[in-house]
Amino acid sequence: MKMQPALLAIVLSTLAIPAFAQPIPVGHIADLSGATSDVGVPYGQGVDDALAWVNRTRGGVAGRQMNVTMQDYGYQAPRAVALYQQWMSRDRPVAIQGWGTADTEALVAFVTRDRVPFISGSYSAALTDPTGRAPKADKAAPFNFFYGPSYSDGLRAMLRWAADDWRARGQQGRPRFVHMGANHPYPNSPKEAGEAMARELGFEVLPAIQFALTPGDYTAQCLTAKNAGANYAYLGNTAGSNISVLRACQTVGANIQFLGNVWGMDENAMKAAGTAANGVVFPVRTAAVWGQEAPGMQAVREISRISDPSGNAYRPVHYLAGICAAMLMTEAMETAAEAGGQITGPRIRDGFYARQNWVPRGFEGVCAPSNFTAEDHRGTMTVQLYRAVVTGPTNQGPVDELIRNNTMRLERVATVELERRRDWLGW
């Protein structure tokens, strides 16, 4: 049987397409509906918008489009594990953007076995030791990465600031520190490291106070902290439940300096909590926040238009962090593809080691520098601390308007340079 010339041309052209021109499968596990969705939504949107922007404006990675599969897992670790197993039996993504601590830690053995780089929204220090040989590490995580300081290092930096703050205010005696949060892997992740650091700095460490990851009435917890004389309190949960704590503590007159983790405060939470959020200090991962000028802000605004063509949406700190995490992954993929290389998990992992003081191109002044090595996955030991400033009622007008009229603002208070101590690796 003779093949028609037109059909033959199609077959030959198809055969001529090399394998590397096929779309690159990428997974994205997000919390859009679960207990941490208050911050999971803007972060996940930043990741998705950035990857779509790379496909649209840069032609993907090395001439190949990324085929991104995003799935909401509702902050349920078993669902994340099941989703991962489903992907690996079908699509086999070469890299995954992930989310929570419980699920990310549950997947460490899987991604290590399958050699799939996993860039998480969890900043658990347990994910930072790629060798498993650090003094207090309990696992090797050679394929796990995240953008920004670990929860433990963020808390260490805030305690350094708190010790200075205590002295600057002329206070006498030992300041009292308390860890507050749910009995869950995420808020518990930095608990022991933070309490050890507090003792090292001369704090009196009070018994931890638990409150759920969901909003509720936390008057009892605030009274406990107040009656114990807490001066500084770490809020280990996401903003949604922290708002409830801040309001309750304002109501009972607890005079406490609150320290939020990176997910514990943002512009949306400032609006929701009102003046109860005034004064909260927390780490910000990026070198700039929305509305500030930096060379890389042009690219950030272009990315924002992927999901907001009008360009009017205000993007909180988590959205920008999601962009930076996505851009680190895509540049590691580009490095893997150099000189005709295959975009595989091990080559992407090695791409994270290829640069020092790494800022994704086009994002200067927005994405803070990262440094990863085969011995140490702590991307940064520099922690930027900001204070939430709320000067009046926030129930009138959207976030961008409240920022413009100076009812709310993010105020940089300190940059803390931590030592890259080996005894802190993985802990």
Side-chain angles (χ1 to χ4, degrees), residues 9 333 353 379 420:
M333 293 166 69
Y353 308 146
R420 196 173 281 273

Side-chain angles (χ1 to χ4, degrees), residues 62-84:
R64 297 171 60 185
Q65 294 283 295
M66 289 178 286
N67 181 18
V68 182
T69 302
M70 190 274 286
Q71 181 67 50
D72 172 22
Y73 78 116
Y75 204 60
Q76 298 178 39
R79 287 179 60 183
V81 173
L83 177 63
Y84 175 86

